[in-house]
Amino acid sequence: MPTVGAEDRFEQRYTLHLKDLLSEHGQFVRYENDRAALDLGLHLYDPNAGAGVLSQNRVWFQLKGITNSRLGVEQLGAAVKVSVTGLRTDHIRYWFAHAEPVYLVVFVEAMDRFLAADIRDLVEPRGGLRWLNELDSKKQRTVTLHVPVAATLEAALAQMPRHRSMRLDGPPFRGRPLGHRLDPMRCELNPLPPADFDEMATRLLDAHDFVPASEIDAALFGDVGSVRAVVGRLHRTYEWTCPLFTQFGIDEDSNFRTESQPFFAHGDVLVVVHSEVIATPRSSDLLKALVTELQCQGVEKALVMFNASEGAQPALFGGWRVALPSMVHVPQGLGSLAFNLLTATSIYFEFLDRVSWGMLNYR
């Protein structure tokens, strides 16, 4: 009579168990022929969009199982890692370079638990591509990876919605793939709802490791709308351009176009987010005193973001320069902020469904 071996039955049990655990998180994706060195894929649901709404994210799984006979409770003891042996080096290289996240998922029978780790988190500490190249040079066909006991499937599922995949076949911007075809220098956002504008500004600052230190009383700026001002430190250089200094058209005899020079903020800075524009700020004795006080504290620069077009409302552009003299040289409106949003791909995808465009130019 036909007989199914113990190892095959064990694999079937843990595979079905894993699929049961994953089923509430997305729709399964599987190759018809098992020739891609990937056991299972999952098209994730969007946790922020309601039940059953598919996201843009897919993850892949390579499954392994460790029986009691190979690793028992006594052997586990106080172990902090579980060794997964016999993994093909060419498969690891393929998973490491895969365009979408690949997880090594291990069922440890003695623990009755799945462990799951992003393959990049396992390979990069060993040296990444350099390590894989060394294995190739030694003609080493298999290798062992060590999955932390703390790397539970539950923890992996919690982080999976944060993965992003993007196409790299579009035109690059200064050698960087952005995942879209929009020209960062020559697009302009439409005004956002104030809460969305404030959140976008916060995310751009977070991406540059801005650490706030103290709030400034918004009443100092007068009745200009909704303003949030904070003094803090930018640990990464924040760069922006200004569309007012950028050439949009093409000359008759040349494709060359002038671009805005870059402007920078780094270190201690005053950040002003003008999320609801009602009026133009004006110079006042209170603001002059604020500038003097901040400069005495070593804060020489103000980074101003306002929720309006530089071109359509030039008075705002000039108003912020006058309101905070010597601290503001080039404030950011919706044309300038489009540059920062479009070159911060992960934030662009985060706000993609919340922004609209007053001006679009493609590369």
Side-chain angles (χ1 to χ4, degrees), residues 156-198:
L157 286 168
Q159 78 170 14
M160 285 177 193
R162 294 196 288 272
H163 287 305
R164 292 287 185 184
S165 300
M166 73 176 194
R167 293 180 58 174
L168 303 181
D169 55 346
F173 177 74
R174 298 175 182 172
R176 294 176 295 188
L178 298 179
H180 58 74
R181 302 183 63 86
L182 301 180
D183 184 345
M185 305 289 294
R186 298 172 179 87
C187 291
E188 184 176 289
L189 293 158
N190 280 324
L192 283 78
D196 288 344
F197 182 86
D198 190 90

Short mmCIF file of all heavy atoms in Angstrom, two decimals, residues 156-198:
data_model
loop_
_atom_site.label_atom_id
_atom_site.label_comp_id
_atom_site.label_asym_id
_atom_site.label_seq_id
_atom_site.Cartn_x
_atom_site.Cartn_y
_atom_site.Cartn_z
N ALA A 156 6.24 39.17 13.60
CA ALA A 156 6.46 39.37 12.17
C ALA A 156 5.19 39.88 11.49
O ALA A 156 5.24 40.80 10.66
CB ALA A 156 6.92 38.07 11.53
N LEU A 157 4.04 39.30 11.84
CA LEU A 157 2.78 39.73 11.24
C LEU A 157 2.47 41.19 11.59
O LEU A 157 1.88 41.91 10.78
CB LEU A 157 1.64 38.83 11.71
CG LEU A 157 1.61 37.43 11.09
CD1 LEU A 157 0.63 36.53 11.84
CD2 LEU A 157 1.22 37.51 9.62
N ALA A 158 2.88 41.63 12.77
CA ALA A 158 2.64 43.01 13.18
C ALA A 158 3.45 43.99 12.33
O ALA A 158 3.01 45.12 12.08
CB ALA A 158 2.96 43.19 14.66
N GLN A 159 4.63 43.58 11.88
CA GLN A 159 5.47 44.50 11.11
C GLN A 159 5.25 44.40 9.61
O GLN A 159 5.61 45.31 8.85
CB GLN A 159 6.94 44.26 11.42
CG GLN A 159 7.57 43.07 10.73
CD GLN A 159 9.08 43.03 10.90
OE1 GLN A 159 9.64 43.74 11.74
NE2 GLN A 159 9.74 42.20 10.12
N MET A 160 4.62 43.34 9.13
CA MET A 160 4.47 43.13 7.69
C MET A 160 3.73 44.25 6.97
O MET A 160 4.11 44.61 5.85
CB MET A 160 3.80 41.79 7.41
CG MET A 160 4.72 40.61 7.61
SD MET A 160 3.87 39.03 7.37
CE MET A 160 5.09 37.90 8.07
N PRO A 161 2.67 44.85 7.55
CA PRO A 161 1.99 45.95 6.83
C PRO A 161 2.88 47.15 6.57
O PRO A 161 2.55 47.99 5.75
CB PRO A 161 0.82 46.31 7.76
CG PRO A 161 0.56 45.06 8.54
CD PRO A 161 1.91 44.46 8.76
N ARG A 162 4.03 47.24 7.26
CA ARG A 162 4.92 48.38 7.05
C ARG A 162 5.88 48.16 5.88
O ARG A 162 6.60 49.08 5.49
CB ARG A 162 5.72 48.66 8.33
CG ARG A 162 4.87 49.13 9.50
CD ARG A 162 5.72 49.77 10.57
NE ARG A 162 6.51 48.79 11.29
CZ ARG A 162 6.10 48.12 12.36
NH1 ARG A 162 4.89 48.34 12.84
NH2 ARG A 162 6.88 47.26 12.96
N HIS A 163 5.90 46.94 5.34
CA HIS A 163 6.75 46.70 4.17
C HIS A 163 6.21 47.48 2.98
O HIS A 163 5.01 47.67 2.83
CB HIS A 163 6.78 45.22 3.82
CG HIS A 163 7.58 44.39 4.77
ND1 HIS A 163 8.89 44.64 5.07
CD2 HIS A 163 7.26 43.29 5.51
CE1 HIS A 163 9.34 43.76 5.94
NE2 HIS A 163 8.37 42.93 6.22
N ARG A 164 7.12 47.90 2.11
CA ARG A 164 6.74 48.58 0.88
C ARG A 164 7.53 47.98 -0.28
O ARG A 164 8.74 47.75 -0.18
CB ARG A 164 7.05 50.08 0.95
CG ARG A 164 6.18 50.84 1.93
CD ARG A 164 4.78 51.00 1.41
NE ARG A 164 3.98 51.83 2.29
CZ ARG A 164 2.69 52.08 2.13
NH1 ARG A 164 2.06 51.55 1.10
NH2 ARG A 164 2.04 52.84 2.95
N SER A 165 6.84 47.74 -1.37
CA SER A 165 7.51 47.33 -2.60
C SER A 165 7.24 48.40 -3.64
O SER A 165 6.18 49.01 -3.66
CB SER A 165 6.97 45.98 -3.10
OG SER A 165 7.17 44.98 -2.13
N MET A 166 8.21 48.63 -4.51
CA MET A 166 7.99 49.65 -5.53
C MET A 166 8.71 49.24 -6.82
O MET A 166 9.68 48.48 -6.80
CB MET A 166 8.48 51.02 -5.07
CG MET A 166 9.98 51.19 -5.01
SD MET A 166 10.42 52.87 -4.55
CE MET A 166 12.16 52.89 -4.97
N ARG A 167 8.21 49.76 -7.91
CA ARG A 167 8.83 49.52 -9.20
C ARG A 167 10.10 50.36 -9.34
O ARG A 167 10.14 51.52 -8.93
CB ARG A 167 7.85 49.84 -10.32
CG ARG A 167 6.67 48.90 -10.37
CD ARG A 167 5.73 49.25 -11.50
NE ARG A 167 6.41 49.24 -12.79
CZ ARG A 167 5.79 49.39 -13.95
NH1 ARG A 167 4.47 49.57 -13.97
NH2 ARG A 167 6.46 49.37 -15.09
N LEU A 168 11.11 49.74 -9.93
CA LEU A 168 12.38 50.43 -10.12
C LEU A 168 12.65 50.75 -11.58
O LEU A 168 13.74 51.22 -11.92
CB LEU A 168 13.53 49.56 -9.58
CG LEU A 168 13.44 49.15 -8.11
CD1 LEU A 168 14.65 48.31 -7.75
CD2 LEU A 168 13.34 50.37 -7.21
N ASP A 169 11.67 50.48 -12.45
CA ASP A 169 11.91 50.63 -13.88
C ASP A 169 11.54 52.00 -14.42
O ASP A 169 11.63 52.23 -15.63
CB ASP A 169 11.16 49.54 -14.66
CG ASP A 169 9.66 49.53 -14.37
OD1 ASP A 169 9.24 50.16 -13.39
OD2 ASP A 169 8.92 48.88 -15.12
N GLY A 170 11.12 52.91 -13.56
CA GLY A 170 10.81 54.27 -14.03
C GLY A 170 12.08 55.09 -14.14
O GLY A 170 13.18 54.66 -13.78
N PRO A 171 11.95 56.32 -14.63
CA PRO A 171 13.13 57.18 -14.75
C PRO A 171 13.67 57.55 -13.37
O PRO A 171 12.91 57.95 -12.49
CB PRO A 171 12.59 58.42 -15.49
CG PRO A 171 11.13 58.41 -15.22
CD PRO A 171 10.72 56.98 -15.10
N PRO A 172 14.97 57.41 -13.15
CA PRO A 172 15.52 57.74 -11.83
C PRO A 172 15.65 59.25 -11.66
O PRO A 172 15.70 60.01 -12.62
CB PRO A 172 16.90 57.07 -11.85
CG PRO A 172 17.28 57.08 -13.30
CD PRO A 172 16.00 56.90 -14.07
N PHE A 173 15.72 59.68 -10.43
CA PHE A 173 15.97 61.09 -10.09
C PHE A 173 17.35 61.15 -9.44
O PHE A 173 17.56 60.64 -8.35
CB PHE A 173 14.90 61.61 -9.14
CG PHE A 173 15.13 63.04 -8.71
CD1 PHE A 173 14.91 64.09 -9.57
CD2 PHE A 173 15.58 63.32 -7.42
CE1 PHE A 173 15.12 65.40 -9.18
CE2 PHE A 173 15.79 64.63 -7.01
CZ PHE A 173 15.56 65.67 -7.89
N ARG A 174 18.31 61.73 -10.15
CA ARG A 174 19.70 61.82 -9.68
C ARG A 174 20.23 60.44 -9.27
O ARG A 174 20.94 60.30 -8.26
CB ARG A 174 19.80 62.80 -8.51
CG ARG A 174 19.40 64.23 -8.92
CD ARG A 174 19.38 65.17 -7.75
NE ARG A 174 18.96 66.50 -8.17
CZ ARG A 174 18.70 67.50 -7.34
NH1 ARG A 174 18.83 67.33 -6.03
NH2 ARG A 174 18.31 68.69 -7.79
N GLY A 175 19.85 59.44 -10.05
CA GLY A 175 20.33 58.08 -9.81
C GLY A 175 19.52 57.28 -8.81
O GLY A 175 19.81 56.11 -8.58
N ARG A 176 18.48 57.90 -8.23
CA ARG A 176 17.68 57.19 -7.24
C ARG A 176 16.33 56.82 -7.82
O ARG A 176 15.63 57.69 -8.36
CB ARG A 176 17.45 58.09 -6.00
CG ARG A 176 18.71 58.40 -5.23
CD ARG A 176 18.43 59.37 -4.10
NE ARG A 176 18.00 60.66 -4.60
CZ ARG A 176 17.83 61.74 -3.85
NH1 ARG A 176 18.04 61.67 -2.56
NH2 ARG A 176 17.44 62.87 -4.37
N PRO A 177 15.92 55.56 -7.69
CA PRO A 177 14.56 55.21 -8.10
C PRO A 177 13.55 55.74 -7.09
O PRO A 177 13.75 55.63 -5.88
CB PRO A 177 14.58 53.67 -8.11
CG PRO A 177 15.63 53.31 -7.11
CD PRO A 177 16.67 54.40 -7.19
N LEU A 178 12.48 56.34 -7.58
CA LEU A 178 11.48 56.95 -6.69
C LEU A 178 10.16 56.20 -6.70
O LEU A 178 9.30 56.47 -5.86
CB LEU A 178 11.25 58.41 -7.08
CG LEU A 178 12.46 59.35 -6.98
CD1 LEU A 178 12.08 60.75 -7.43
CD2 LEU A 178 13.01 59.37 -5.56
N GLY A 179 9.96 55.29 -7.65
CA GLY A 179 8.71 54.55 -7.69
C GLY A 179 7.58 55.30 -8.35
O GLY A 179 6.42 54.90 -8.27
N HIS A 180 7.87 56.42 -9.02
CA HIS A 180 6.86 57.18 -9.75
C HIS A 180 7.55 57.93 -10.87
O HIS A 180 8.78 57.94 -10.96
CB HIS A 180 6.09 58.14 -8.83
CG HIS A 180 6.98 59.13 -8.12
ND1 HIS A 180 7.56 60.20 -8.75
CD2 HIS A 180 7.39 59.19 -6.82
CE1 HIS A 180 8.28 60.90 -7.88
NE2 HIS A 180 8.21 60.31 -6.71
N ARG A 181 6.77 58.57 -11.73
CA ARG A 181 7.32 59.28 -12.89
C ARG A 181 7.19 60.80 -12.75
O ARG A 181 7.42 61.54 -13.71
CB ARG A 181 6.61 58.82 -14.17
CG ARG A 181 6.72 57.32 -14.44
CD ARG A 181 6.05 56.95 -15.75
NE ARG A 181 6.72 57.59 -16.88
CZ ARG A 181 7.79 57.07 -17.50
NH1 ARG A 181 8.30 55.92 -17.10
NH2 ARG A 181 8.33 57.70 -18.52
N LEU A 182 6.80 61.29 -11.60
CA LEU A 182 6.60 62.72 -11.41
C LEU A 182 7.94 63.44 -11.25
O LEU A 182 8.88 62.91 -10.66
CB LEU A 182 5.72 62.98 -10.19
CG LEU A 182 4.32 62.34 -10.23
CD1 LEU A 182 3.56 62.67 -8.96
CD2 LEU A 182 3.56 62.81 -11.45
N ASP A 183 8.00 64.66 -11.76
CA ASP A 183 9.20 65.48 -11.67
C ASP A 183 9.20 66.21 -10.33
O ASP A 183 8.38 67.12 -10.11
CB ASP A 183 9.22 66.49 -12.82
CG ASP A 183 10.50 67.32 -12.86
OD1 ASP A 183 11.23 67.32 -11.86
OD2 ASP A 183 10.74 67.96 -13.90
N PRO A 184 10.08 65.86 -9.40
CA PRO A 184 10.05 66.49 -8.07
C PRO A 184 10.28 67.99 -8.10
O PRO A 184 9.84 68.71 -7.19
CB PRO A 184 11.18 65.78 -7.31
CG PRO A 184 11.37 64.49 -8.03
CD PRO A 184 11.09 64.80 -9.47
N MET A 185 10.95 68.48 -9.15
CA MET A 185 11.28 69.90 -9.21
C MET A 185 10.14 70.74 -9.78
O MET A 185 10.14 71.96 -9.61
CB MET A 185 12.52 70.11 -10.11
CG MET A 185 13.74 69.32 -9.72
SD MET A 185 14.53 69.90 -8.20
CE MET A 185 15.11 71.50 -8.69
N ARG A 186 9.17 70.09 -10.43
CA ARG A 186 8.21 70.87 -11.22
C ARG A 186 6.77 70.40 -11.02
O ARG A 186 5.99 70.35 -11.95
CB ARG A 186 8.60 70.83 -12.70
CG ARG A 186 9.96 71.46 -12.97
CD ARG A 186 10.44 71.28 -14.38
NE ARG A 186 11.75 71.93 -14.57
CZ ARG A 186 12.91 71.35 -14.32
NH1 ARG A 186 12.95 70.08 -13.91
NH2 ARG A 186 14.04 72.01 -14.50
N CYS A 187 6.42 70.02 -9.80
CA CYS A 187 5.04 69.70 -9.45
C CYS A 187 4.62 70.56 -8.26
O CYS A 187 5.47 71.09 -7.54
CB CYS A 187 4.90 68.21 -9.08
SG CYS A 187 5.11 67.07 -10.47
N GLU A 188 3.33 70.69 -8.09
CA GLU A 188 2.83 71.48 -6.96
C GLU A 188 1.58 70.82 -6.38
O GLU A 188 0.67 70.44 -7.11
CB GLU A 188 2.51 72.91 -7.38
CG GLU A 188 2.08 73.79 -6.21
CD GLU A 188 1.86 75.24 -6.63
OE1 GLU A 188 2.86 75.92 -6.91
OE2 GLU A 188 0.69 75.65 -6.70
N LEU A 189 1.56 70.69 -5.08
CA LEU A 189 0.42 70.13 -4.37
C LEU A 189 -0.72 71.13 -4.32
O LEU A 189 -0.50 72.35 -4.26
CB LEU A 189 0.81 69.76 -2.94
CG LEU A 189 1.81 68.61 -2.77
CD1 LEU A 189 2.48 68.72 -1.41
CD2 LEU A 189 1.09 67.27 -2.90
N ASN A 190 -1.94 70.62 -4.31
CA ASN A 190 -3.08 71.44 -3.91
C ASN A 190 -3.09 71.58 -2.39
O ASN A 190 -2.54 70.71 -1.69
CB ASN A 190 -4.39 70.80 -4.36
CG ASN A 190 -4.69 71.05 -5.83
OD1 ASN A 190 -4.41 72.13 -6.35
ND2 ASN A 190 -5.27 70.08 -6.50
N PRO A 191 -3.70 72.64 -1.86
CA PRO A 191 -3.80 72.75 -0.40
C PRO A 191 -4.44 71.51 0.21
O PRO A 191 -5.39 70.95 -0.32
CB PRO A 191 -4.67 73.99 -0.20
CG PRO A 191 -4.41 74.82 -1.42
CD PRO A 191 -4.27 73.83 -2.54
N LEU A 192 -3.88 71.06 1.32
CA LEU A 192 -4.38 69.89 2.04
C LEU A 192 -5.28 70.33 3.19
O LEU A 192 -5.17 71.48 3.69
CB LEU A 192 -3.22 69.08 2.61
CG LEU A 192 -2.43 68.18 1.66
CD1 LEU A 192 -1.46 68.98 0.82
CD2 LEU A 192 -1.68 67.12 2.45
N PRO A 193 -6.15 69.45 3.68
CA PRO A 193 -6.82 69.73 4.95
C PRO A 193 -5.76 70.00 6.01
O PRO A 193 -4.70 69.35 6.01
CB PRO A 193 -7.59 68.44 5.24
CG PRO A 193 -7.80 67.81 3.90
CD PRO A 193 -6.57 68.16 3.11
N PRO A 194 -5.99 70.97 6.90
CA PRO A 194 -4.94 71.35 7.86
C PRO A 194 -4.34 70.18 8.64
O PRO A 194 -3.11 70.13 8.82
CB PRO A 194 -5.67 72.33 8.79
CG PRO A 194 -6.72 72.93 7.92
CD PRO A 194 -7.18 71.83 7.02
N ALA A 195 -5.18 69.24 9.08
CA ALA A 195 -4.65 68.11 9.84
C ALA A 195 -3.71 67.26 9.00
O ALA A 195 -2.67 66.79 9.48
CB ALA A 195 -5.80 67.26 10.39
N ASP A 196 -4.06 67.04 7.72
CA ASP A 196 -3.20 66.26 6.83
C ASP A 196 -1.90 67.00 6.53
O ASP A 196 -0.83 66.38 6.45
CB ASP A 196 -3.93 65.95 5.52
CG ASP A 196 -5.02 64.91 5.70
OD1 ASP A 196 -5.01 64.21 6.73
OD2 ASP A 196 -5.87 64.79 4.80
N PHE A 197 -1.99 68.31 6.35
CA PHE A 197 -0.78 69.09 6.09
C PHE A 197 0.17 69.01 7.27
O PHE A 197 1.38 68.79 7.11
CB PHE A 197 -1.13 70.55 5.80
CG PHE A 197 0.05 71.41 5.47
CD1 PHE A 197 0.53 71.49 4.17
CD2 PHE A 197 0.71 72.13 6.46
CE1 PHE A 197 1.64 72.27 3.86
CE2 PHE A 197 1.82 72.91 6.16
CZ PHE A 197 2.28 72.98 4.86
N ASP A 198 -0.38 69.17 8.47
CA ASP A 198 0.45 69.11 9.67
C ASP A 198 1.09 67.73 9.81
O ASP A 198 2.27 67.60 10.16
CB ASP A 198 -0.39 69.43 10.90
CG ASP A 198 0.46 69.63 12.13
OD1 ASP A 198 0.88 70.76 12.38
OD2 ASP A 198 0.72 68.63 12.84
#
